[in-house]
Amino acid sequence: MRALHAEWTKFRTVRGWVLGTVGAMLASVLFLLAGTASSNEHPQDTTAFPVGPGGEAVNDSFYFVHRAVTGDGGITVPVTALTGVLADPAGPDTASAGTAGGRDRTTPGVTPWSKAGILVKQSLDQGSPYAAMMVTGAHGVRMQHDFTHDRAGPAGSPSADEPRWLRLVRTGGTVTGYASADGARWTEVGTARLPGSATTVQVGLFVAAPAAVRASGGGGSSPATATGGFGRVTLDGAWGQAAEGWQGEQVGGDAGTSGSYAPGTGGDWSATGEGFTVTGAGDIAPVVGGPALGPAFTVETFLVGTFVGLIVLTVVAAQFATTEYRRGLLGQTLAATPHRGRMLAAKAAVVAVVAFAAGAAAAAVSVPLGELRAHAAHFAVLTVPAAVQVRAVLGTGLLLAAAAVLSLALGVVLRRSATAITAVVATTVLPYLLAFGGVLPSGPAEWLLRLTPAAGFAVQQTLPRHDQVLTVYAPASGYFPLSPSGGLVVLGAWSALALAAAAVLLHRRDS
């Protein structure tokens, strides 16, 4: 404790180090304000994302043929076809429908996560809880509920000769999904609890078609439309007693942020014999990053100034280590604290706590301030659950703490603050900027973010990654190759290694 108190006293009595810490916080926030100020020069007319039951931003746009039902019951239907059309990215401008110069602007095809199936939804409000059974364009039968939950059912695509039978059964607040190849032998796919499930729910057939994501040609996405063929719909239990007839409508008003209808198409439904044909677009899924996100701000956007604060704190931490070499005070320090390891640990603890407090405080101010600036510029904000936002804020503090310890340790090893600062910036900040600035291809960028201290920035990751949503999961789209905890572990390992080297050299070399 004596060593810790002594090192803390040194730190707080040097005005430059204290002002540097405050400057790191201000620099982070001011960098954010400068970035959002440029956004205000080009205001957008962007609709905010709906929010799902878990607090996450979601896409909730699809064509729905439904009726209101009360009590417990079930719905069963064979899906006989799933087809679609995609906008031709090589064709004329797709801003308007139809053709140009006699050339169609669409080609046949379905996106991998196009969906046709049955749905039980608490209400027609976007973001309300739901459970669905569906066939997909390339992933077989699935059960999905409340946007983030996805379970695999039988593989294969539907056809008139080999339909995929789907069933949903509601008992109280529990909905169970089943699949069958013949309508006689059923396999349970999964169950879902609908939080706050209303007595009256909407049940029926739905079709959605997320936009086709282009991995080349500059990225982006192309509108898509899907059409589902359904056989006879059977309603059981109390649902079979519903007097209301079928109604068709586009939930969400249009196809939503996940895409739009391919040119010359639109949502519609019609009765075909005993069944239905339903055409739709959009998606029912969590919002992720990549080309489909469009002009929206994320928590990562609001924390973009972290690297500036990191540089400033790196300078402070390096000087905290090297000043005693430069001024010849190390001998006095070792006389007061003969155990070199304790002295080094005390220095590391001081800079870690100071950097954590500065980073977390700056992040805690930047996130709400960034949201206010985004709303003022009419940009949508990608909502995340409160726990994820808190993790990103506290994680920013841990990121700066680990980077400060790395800088301190390199200062002891190299004994020159300029060299130590350069080493930290070159291995932490520079790889981060190269990877997320789109300077490097995805492969090299991901390896940099796996192996260098820049991996620690992954702790700020809030953009979700879901297997059931297709996008470009790459650094240029805002995605780290490691999880938030995994990235922090890599940075922590570098800091621990440098600190161990500093302890060895301090014992053998310095006196």
Side-chain angles (χ1 to χ4, degrees):
M1 290 298 294
R2 184 192 307 176
L4 186 62
H5 182 267
E7 296 302 329
W8 167 242
T9 301
K10 289 179 187 177
F11 187 92
R12 67 182 178 82
T13 53
V14 177
R15 181 178 300 178
W17 295 342
V18 175
L19 293 177
T21 302
V22 175
M25 293 187 289
L26 293 176
S28 298
V29 177
L30 291 175
F31 191 89
L32 164 69
L33 293 178
T36 53
S38 63
S39 298
N40 279 330
E41 297 174 4
H42 306 283
Q44 305 289 318
D45 184 14
T46 304
T47 303
F49 296 105
V51 177
E56 65 285 328
V58 299
N59 284 309
D60 196 8
S61 300
F62 56 97
Y63 201 87
F64 196 20
V65 179
H66 63 95
R67 64 171 62 179
V69 296
T70 303
D72 297 342
I75 178 172
T76 303
V77 68
V79 182
T80 59
L82 177 56
T83 60
V85 293
L86 309 175
D88 182 2
D93 183 12
T94 58
S96 59
T99 61
R103 179 180 179 182
D104 287 331
R105 303 188 196 190
T106 60
T107 58
V110 292
T111 52
W113 284 105
S114 290
K115 307 167 184 178
I118 51 178
L119 181 75
V120 178
K121 191 166 175 62
Q122 181 173 296
S123 72
L124 297 180
D125 295 334
Q126 287 186 294
S128 64
Y130 75 95
M133 284 294 299
M134 66 196 72
V135 298
T136 63
H139 299 282
V141 174
R142 317 292 291 199
M143 180 178 182
Q144 296 179 354
H145 72 278
D146 290 353
F147 304 96
T148 59
H149 303 280
D150 172 65
R151 297 184 183 90
S157 302
S159 68
D161 296 331
E162 297 182 359
R164 294 292 180 263
W165 289 75
L166 308 176
R167 174 178 289 170
L168 285 171
V169 177
R170 180 197 184 197
T171 305
T174 300
V175 177
T176 306
Y178 301 88
S180 172
D182 56 12
R185 292 167 294 184
W186 292 89
T187 300
E188 180 179 319
V189 178
T191 61
R193 291 286 300 177
L194 300 188
S197 186
T199 302
T200 298
V201 295
Q202 299 293 327
V203 64
L205 314 174
F206 81 98
V207 172
V213 176
R214 301 193 298 272
S216 60
S221 58
S222 299
T225 304
T227 298
F230 299 88
R232 181 180 179 183
V233 181
T234 301
L235 296 176
D236 300 314
W239 291 3
Q241 302 172 15
E244 184 179 346
W246 296 108
Q247 304 177 57
E249 62 183 290
Q250 174 73 40
V251 173
D254 56 20
T257 58
S258 62
S260 57
Y261 284 97
T265 65
D268 199 2
W269 71 289
S270 62
T272 54
E274 292 186 330
F276 298 91
T277 298
V278 183
T279 298
D283 201 7
I284 313 174
V287 174
V288 298
L293 185 58
F297 283 171
T298 64
V299 172
E300 290 90 332
T301 308
F302 306 142
L303 298 177
V304 69
T306 298
F307 80 90
V308 181
L310 186 149
I311 294 173
V312 177
L313 287 172
T314 292
V315 174
V316 172
Q319 291 182 349
F320 189 47
T322 60
T323 295
E324 298 193 53
Y325 291 102
R326 189 172 66 251
R327 297 183 179 180
L329 301 176
L330 184 61
Q332 298 178 23
T333 298
L334 294 178
T337 310
H339 196 295
R340 290 170 169 82
R342 291 180 182 174
M343 183 269 288
L344 182 61
K347 283 183 176 293
V350 169
V351 297
V353 170
V354 169
F356 173 82
V365 172
S366 295
V367 172
L369 184 60
E371 290 177 347
L372 290 174
R373 301 281 288 186
H375 292 313
H378 303 288
F379 276 83
V381 175
L382 183 59
T383 306
V384 297
V388 175
Q389 184 168 301
V390 170
R391 187 261 298 156
V393 169
L394 297 180
T396 299
L398 293 174
L399 164 64
L400 295 189
V405 171
L406 176 61
S407 181
L408 172 87
L410 290 178
V412 173
V413 171
L414 301 172
R415 294 196 291 188
R416 289 179 175 83
S417 59
T419 309
I421 294 164
T422 301
V424 174
V425 172
T427 58
T428 305
V429 177
L430 185 59
Y432 168 76
L433 295 178
L434 290 176
F436 283 91
V439 177
L440 298 176
S442 293
E446 289 186 351
W447 279 111
L448 274 179
L449 295 175
R450 285 190 179 100
L451 300 178
T452 68
F457 281 95
V459 77
Q460 296 180 326
Q461 177 85 70
T462 65
L463 282 173
R465 185 191 295 259
H466 294 280
D467 292 338
Q468 73 270 27
V469 184
L470 186 63
T471 191
V472 180
Y473 292 107
S477 298
Y479 283 94
F480 286 84
L482 299 177
S483 66
S485 58
L488 193 61
V489 166
V490 172
L491 173 58
W494 278 102
S495 300
L497 183 63
L499 201 60
V504 171
L505 290 175
L506 190 63
H507 178 75
R508 293 181 179 180
R509 181 189 65 189
D510 300 320
S511 61

